[in-house]
Amino acid sequence: MCLLNASSPSSSEVYDLPGNRSGSMVLQWHVTEQCNLRCAHCYQEQFSTDELTLEQLCLIIDQFKYLLEKLQINNPATKMHGLINVTGGEPFLRKDFFDLLENYRENHNYFSFGILTNGTLIDENVARQLREMKTAYVQVSLEGSQKTNDAIRGNGTFNRTIAALEHLTAQGIRTMVAFTAHRGNSHEFLDVVRLAFDLKVSRVWADRMIPCGAGMSLEEQGLTPEETRDFFEIMNAAYCESQERFCNTEVFMGRALQFLVGGGEPYRCMAGDRLVALQANGDIYPCRRMPVRIGNLLETPLVDLYEKNALFQKLRRHEVSVGCESCTFKKKCRGGLKCLAHAIYGNPFLADPGCWRVSEGEISD
C-alpha cells in the first residue's frame, strides 16, 4: 500500500481547501445563486434568491476583516490570515463580479481569495483578468468521463471545463479539480486524475456527495461505508500513481476519513470554527453543506454571530461525536464528515455515516 509521506499536508494545514490550516479563517462566500447549470447533485434548492448589492458586499468585507482582527487578538502567538472562497451559484454571472474581486485585491494584507466555479464562462480574456487580480487559485469540477460528467452537469460542460483549465494554466493560475463521489461515478476518479496530469492541474481532490438541496434526488446514490472505503482505495491508487510519475499534480487525500486508507494526519471538520459560509442574501451557515441558518449579516455583525451562536460554540468545543467514543482517532477526526451526518441523521454530532469502523465495530483501541 502506498501511504502519504509524514510531511504531506493535512486538511488543517492547507490554506486553499475547506478545512484550513491553523492560523487562518475561511469565508466561503456565495455571492449569487444564479447559475447557468443545473447539476444533479447540487446542494442549492433555488436559483433566484435576492442578492446583496456591491455596496453591501463591501460592508461585509469590513465585517470579515474585523473578525480576523478579533481572532488575532485572541491568538496573539499565531499570525491570522483570511481566505475567501468566492462562489455561487456561478459567481461569474454577477455583472459586478470583477469589481468585487478588485476590492478583495485591495485587502490582500487581510486575506487571499480563490474562486470556485463551474468553469464554463472562463475564456482566455477572463483568465487573463484573473491573473491580473492575483487570484490565488481557481477550482472547477469534473465528475468522471465526458459521458458521466455531462449526464450530471449538462451537455457540453466537460469540454468547456477542460477549455477553462487550459486557459487558466496558460496564465499561470493555480488550478484545482473537485470530484463529488457517489455510486454512479466513484469508479471514474482515476480517469479524472490522469486527465488532470495531462492538463497540468495543480491539485485534484474529492469529497462524498451530500444529499441536500437538489441533490436529495440522488440520495440513494450515496456511498455505503464499504463503498466509501473502496473509493478511498481508488484515491490512494491515484495518489501512488502521481508519486510514481513524479508529476506536479497533487492528489489530495486530506478530507473526512481518507486518512484511514491513505495515512497522514486525520481530517478535522472546521465548520463553525475556522470556516463559515455566507449566502447570497447575507445568511450565515456553519458550512454550505450544513444548511443551518445562524443569522443574517444585514441584521447582526459577523463577529457577534461567530462568537455568540450556540451551534458555532458547540462546533468549536470539538466534542467527541456519538458513536466514536471508543475510536483511537476520536479527538483528531472529530466524527468525520459532519455535514453528511447532518444530512442523514439531522444531527452533525453523530459519527460519519460512511465510517466503516463504526459500522463494522472496529473502533476499539
Side-chain angles (χ1 to χ4, degrees), residues 125-192:
N125 181 57
V126 169
R128 185 181 302 110
Q129 290 181 74
L130 295 178
R131 183 199 65 201
E132 293 170 354
M133 291 287 179
K134 302 189 183 303
T135 306
Y137 55 88
V138 176
Q139 174 184 293
V140 301
S141 295
L142 284 172
E143 313 298 351
S145 66
Q146 181 174 354
K147 180 180 179 180
T148 299
N149 181 87
D150 286 5
I152 294 170
R153 305 185 69 83
N155 290 335
T157 56
F158 182 87
N159 288 335
R160 291 161 73 186
T161 303
I162 298 303
L165 288 169
E166 291 173 338
H167 291 312
L168 292 165
T169 54
Q171 293 295 326
I173 297 173
R174 190 169 188 233
T175 56
M176 297 195 294
V177 167
F179 181 94
T180 302
H182 52 78
R183 288 181 182 174
N185 72 341
S186 59
H187 61 287
E188 296 187 22
F189 179 75
L190 185 54
D191 295 331
V192 170

Side-chain angles (χ1 to χ4, degrees), residues 20-202:
N20 58 313
R21 66 183 177 183
S22 175
S24 58
M25 179 76 197
V26 175
L27 175 64
Q28 180 148 330
W29 195 340
H30 298 258
V31 295
T32 183
E33 285 194 341
Q34 298 179 68
C35 192
N36 57 333
L37 303 183
R38 294 293 184 269
C39 302
H41 60 281
C42 184
Y43 43 59
Q44 282 190 202
E45 296 178 354
Q46 54 189 1
F47 298 88
S48 60
T49 298
D50 291 340
E51 19 181 93
L52 304 180
T53 66
L54 180 62
E55 181 180 7
Q56 290 171 320
L57 297 182
C58 291
L59 291 174
I60 287 174
I61 290 174
D62 290 338
Q63 292 192 35
F64 185 50
K65 289 162 60 177
Y66 182 61
L67 174 61
L68 293 172
E69 290 170 352
K70 288 288 294 288
L71 290 172
Q72 182 66 76
I73 292 171
N74 295 335
N75 300 272
T78 303
K79 173 63 176 175
M80 294 300 303
H81 189 73
L83 168 68
I84 293 178
N85 280 330
V86 57
T87 185
E90 173 47 53
F92 285 98
L93 287 176
R94 277 195 70 121
K95 292 183 172 59
D96 56 6
F97 185 53
F98 279 96
D99 294 324
L100 179 63
L101 297 189
E102 178 61 36
N103 194 301
Y104 290 168
R105 180 170 67 166
E106 291 172 357
N107 285 284
H108 64 90
N109 289 334
Y110 284 89
F111 54 80
S112 54
F113 73 92
I115 300 172
L116 315 184
T117 169
N118 61 42
T120 60
L121 302 179
I122 297 177
D123 57 18
E124 182 178 359
N125 181 57
V126 169
R128 185 181 302 110
Q129 290 181 74
L130 295 178
R131 183 199 65 201
E132 293 170 354
M133 291 287 179
K134 302 189 183 303
T135 306
Y137 55 88
V138 176
Q139 174 184 293
V140 301
S141 295
L142 284 172
E143 313 298 351
S145 66
Q146 181 174 354
K147 180 180 179 180
T148 299
N149 181 87
D150 286 5
I152 294 170
R153 305 185 69 83
N155 290 335
T157 56
F158 182 87
N159 288 335
R160 291 161 73 186
T161 303
I162 298 303
L165 288 169
E166 291 173 338
H167 291 312
L168 292 165
T169 54
Q171 293 295 326
I173 297 173
R174 190 169 188 233
T175 56
M176 297 195 294
V177 167
F179 181 94
T180 302
H182 52 78
R183 288 181 182 174
N185 72 341
S186 59
H187 61 287
E188 296 187 22
F189 179 75
L190 185 54
D191 295 331
V192 170
V193 169
R194 288 170 176 165
L195 177 60
F197 292 160
D198 294 338
L199 293 170
K200 303 187 186 314
V201 168
S202 305

Side-chain angles (χ1 to χ4, degrees), residues 122-342:
I122 297 177
D123 57 18
E124 182 178 359
N125 181 57
V126 169
R128 185 181 302 110
Q129 290 181 74
L130 295 178
R131 183 199 65 201
E132 293 170 354
M133 291 287 179
K134 302 189 183 303
T135 306
Y137 55 88
V138 176
Q139 174 184 293
V140 301
S141 295
L142 284 172
E143 313 298 351
S145 66
Q146 181 174 354
K147 180 180 179 180
T148 299
N149 181 87
D150 286 5
I152 294 170
R153 305 185 69 83
N155 290 335
T157 56
F158 182 87
N159 288 335
R160 291 161 73 186
T161 303
I162 298 303
L165 288 169
E166 291 173 338
H167 291 312
L168 292 165
T169 54
Q171 293 295 326
I173 297 173
R174 190 169 188 233
T175 56
M176 297 195 294
V177 167
F179 181 94
T180 302
H182 52 78
R183 288 181 182 174
N185 72 341
S186 59
H187 61 287
E188 296 187 22
F189 179 75
L190 185 54
D191 295 331
V192 170
V193 169
R194 288 170 176 165
L195 177 60
F197 292 160
D198 294 338
L199 293 170
K200 303 187 186 314
V201 168
S202 305
R203 171 181 292 174
V204 183
W205 68 284
D207 224 336
R208 289 167 280 157
M209 182 194 69
I210 306 299
C212 64
M216 286 293 295
S217 63
L218 292 179
E219 184 173 8
E220 74 284 354
Q221 289 293 313
L223 300 178
T224 66
E226 181 179 358
E227 290 167 339
T228 299
R229 178 166 51 185
D230 290 344
F231 174 61
F232 293 164
E233 293 286 1
I234 293 172
M235 288 192 69
N236 193 58
Y239 170 82
C240 291
E241 184 169 324
S242 72
Q243 298 297 295
E244 293 165 358
R245 291 173 59 160
F246 297 100
C247 66
N248 293 324
T249 300
E250 176 192 15
V251 178
F252 183 77
M253 293 191 67
R255 300 296 288 152
L257 304 184
Q258 292 171 8
F259 73 95
L260 292 173
V261 172
E265 188 73 12
Y267 163 87
R268 300 190 299 276
C269 175
M270 290 293 179
D273 184 354
R274 294 300 175 87
L275 166 69
V276 295
L278 174 60
Q279 300 309 107
N281 65 351
D283 284 349
I284 282 286
Y285 296 169
C287 166
R288 182 59 186 89
R289 302 195 303 170
M290 192 190 298
V292 180
R293 184 183 184 274
I294 301 301
N296 187 285
L297 297 193
L298 300 184
E299 302 166 358
T300 309
L302 175 59
V303 69
D304 290 345
L305 292 174
Y306 180 81
E307 291 179 344
K308 299 175 183 178
N309 177 262
L311 177 57
F312 278 178
Q313 290 175 347
K314 185 171 183 179
L315 287 167
R316 289 198 291 273
R317 285 200 292 271
H318 304 148
E319 299 172 356
V320 175
S321 293
V322 175
C324 302
E325 294 87 351
S326 300
C327 183
T328 306
F329 306 107
K330 61 187 177 185
K331 291 185 179 179
K332 289 191 172 183
C333 175
R334 298 175 186 166
L337 202 52
K338 291 188 180 300
C339 56
L340 184 58
H342 178 269

